[in-house]
Amino acid sequence: MVETGNHNHNHQPPPPQPPPRPAPPLGAAIGPAYPPAEQLLQLHYCIHSNPSWPQTVLLAFQHYIVMLGTAVLLATMLVPRMGGGPGDKARVIQAMIFMSGINTLLQTLLGTRLPTVIGPSFAYFISVLLAINDFADSEFTDEHQRFTHIMRTVQGSLIVSSFLNIILGYGRAWGNLSRLFSPVVLVPVVCVVGLGLFARGFPQLGNCVEIGLPMLILLVVSQQYLQRVHPVTRPILERFALLLCVGIIWAFAAILTVAGAYNNVREQTKISCRTDRSFLMSSAPWIKIPYPFQWGTPIFRASHVFGMLGAALVSSAESTGAFYAAARLAGATPPPSHVLSRSIGLQGIGQLLDGIFGSLVGSAASVENVGLLGLTRIGSRRVVEISTAFMIFFSIFGKFGAFFASIPLPIFAAIYCVLYAIVAAIGISFIQFANPNSMRNIYILGISLFLGISIPQYFVMNTDMAGHGPVKTSAGWFNNILNTIFSSPPTVAIIVGTLLDNTLEARHTGDERGLPWLVPFHKRKGDSRNEEFYSYPLRISEYIPTRFL
């Protein structure tokens, strides 16, 4: 045997392996991740920047046209039931447009300072119906006397109920409530501000499909597709396509009317489709300045006042959702709690003025005009302030205002299909600041969205033409309040969302709820930009007590 040498084999341990990488979540490697963005980057003009003066004037006129539809629709639905004729209807529209101009100017200067139009609100519809029903069997010398009597009753109810919003606002109660909001609450609240108005979209458009549907298609095609044909057409169609489409379809409706297309149709179709059935041009005065108590001395009845109290509360909830949407579309930070307080307080003062000047309903932030900010990508405050000049001018010079008020309602309904959708989509964007993969958040979002639409739909379906809803107890005032509150999608969404979000595992889920992002904006000096966007103009703040700022 041959002896082999002693070989020393040094067995070195293998090099340490790096720890295995955790598998990326599904979809992480497929495309880019988009970080949360506080401000929309595709806005052309934000709250402080302004287009050129010619564009500003045209955009302001566009805001006037958009807000006009709600005033005309409310007057068309309510004034005939009150016993009013075409002349009364024209004066009511004038009063509502005039007060919209005053309230919008006040709100942009001393309220939220956001580019929001304050217009007549459907929140008061049920309350006015109840007043109409209470006098249905009363005897009057003529129908005009019945109309003025109901108007005086509505005036008195608006005046008294306005103090609820004044107290909630300037007493800072509404601002303290807003501190309970998180992005999980804002999503359903802002969403249903748009989605909850679906009945004013395609269902109204369907009253005259041959006018409404072409308007909807033309607006989408021209504003989104044709603007890409040539660089010159892009800014024109992106900002003014709505005006162009209204003019084209309105002319088309006039041609159909003159050609006799609606001579042998039912009366409701004539009212919706014809351009000569509003009778506003013939009945409106050339010059008429709305003045205090133009319908007579207000009448105060407790039962009607309680119904209006519910409507005032609903208008506050609807305006709050619209303010959050407007802030995002104007490139501003979410409105702080003290700004929401003073805006709701000022809205109460606006409702007081509505009652004094004889408006048919109270005021709230116009959702359709908030959607117009997103459609045009222009959130300039100056544009909305200039639009108040059109509102006041056309409300005083009645013939000119009646000309635009005679636009067929299906044209406005087609516009709403787009504008309400934009506001609803803006609500969805708030989820980026919370955890969208949290089952807790998904549960709250789903319940709040579904009940925010489903509960009001139940109340609307079970409300008769006299305004009586499903709540029927021996206390009429109690019925009026609850039926009004639960007929409002934003109000139901606020109640359900705030209750669930602040009681369901709320203490240990602050990050999931998005509170680290939103809480600093709640405070007056929590974010340095708050003062930039929401401070009073000039040096007004030096003369106002701090508790009211």
Side-chain angles (χ1 to χ4, degrees), residues 229-472:
V229 172
H230 194 278
V232 176
T233 64
R234 186 180 185 94
I236 298 174
L237 291 178
E238 190 172 53
R239 298 172 190 179
F240 308 111
L242 191 146
L243 276 181
L244 294 173
C245 293
V246 168
I248 293 171
I249 302 300
W250 191 12
F252 175 63
I255 292 173
L256 291 179
T257 301
V258 173
Y262 304 114
N263 289 345
N264 300 311
V265 296
R266 58 193 181 96
E267 188 63 26
Q268 182 59 45
T269 304
K270 291 181 180 180
I271 295 174
S272 299
C273 300
R274 294 183 68 97
T275 58
D276 58 356
R277 297 297 289 183
S278 64
F279 304 112
L280 292 176
M281 283 291 293
S282 58
S283 56
W286 278 104
I287 299 177
K288 180 74 174 181
I289 301 176
Y291 56 91
F293 308 118
Q294 58 179 322
W295 309 110
T297 306
I299 298 174
F300 302 96
R301 292 186 62 173
S303 59
H304 297 149
V305 168
F306 280 113
M308 283 291 182
L309 286 175
L313 189 62
V314 164
S315 70
S316 299
E318 294 179 350
S319 292
T320 299
F323 289 149
Y324 275 103
R328 187 142 176 75
L329 289 170
T333 58
S337 57
H338 72 279
V339 171
L340 287 175
S341 283
R342 79 189 188 199
S343 68
I344 297 303
L346 190 61
Q347 185 170 302
I349 293 177
Q351 183 178 327
L352 176 64
L353 294 175
D354 288 334
I356 291 175
F357 279 84
S359 180
L360 181 60
V361 294
S363 301
S366 172
V367 180
E368 51 267 33
N369 288 88
V370 173
L372 187 59
L373 302 178
L375 185 70
T376 59
R377 302 187 186 183
I378 295 177
S380 170
R381 182 192 293 131
R382 177 185 290 175
V383 169
V384 174
E385 290 175 338
I386 296 300
S387 72
T388 63
F390 287 104
M391 299 175 201
I392 295 173
F393 175 85
F394 287 118
S395 63
I396 293 176
F397 296 92
K399 292 290 185 185
F400 299 101
F403 175 72
F404 296 107
S406 60
I407 297 174
L409 289 175
I411 293 179
F412 289 111
I415 296 172
Y416 296 158
C417 288
V418 176
L419 301 185
Y420 291 155
I422 292 175
V423 175
I426 280 296
I428 296 173
S429 71
F430 281 101
I431 194 59
Q432 66 182 311
F433 305 112
N435 182 4
N437 298 311
S438 165
M439 287 305 300
R440 171 198 179 274
N441 291 352
I442 291 173
Y443 178 85
I444 295 173
L445 287 173
I447 294 292
S448 303
L449 276 170
F450 186 82
L451 293 184
I453 296 175
S454 186
I455 291 177
Q457 181 66 12
Y458 166 77
F459 273 77
V460 170
M461 289 174 61
N462 290 277
T463 299
D464 57 27
M465 297 302 293
H468 298 297
V471 178
K472 297 177 181 178

Side-chain angles (χ1 to χ4, degrees), residues 185-199 317-318 321-322 325 367 420-428 445-456 487-497:
V185 178
L186 294 182
V187 172
V189 171
V190 179
C191 272
V192 298
V193 164
L195 293 179
L197 298 171
F198 67 89
E318 294 179 350
V367 180
Y420 291 155
I422 292 175
V423 175
I426 280 296
I428 296 173
L445 287 173
I447 294 292
S448 303
L449 276 170
F450 186 82
L451 293 184
I453 296 175
S454 186
I455 291 177
S487 297
S488 165
T491 308
V492 174
I494 283 181
I495 294 172
V496 176

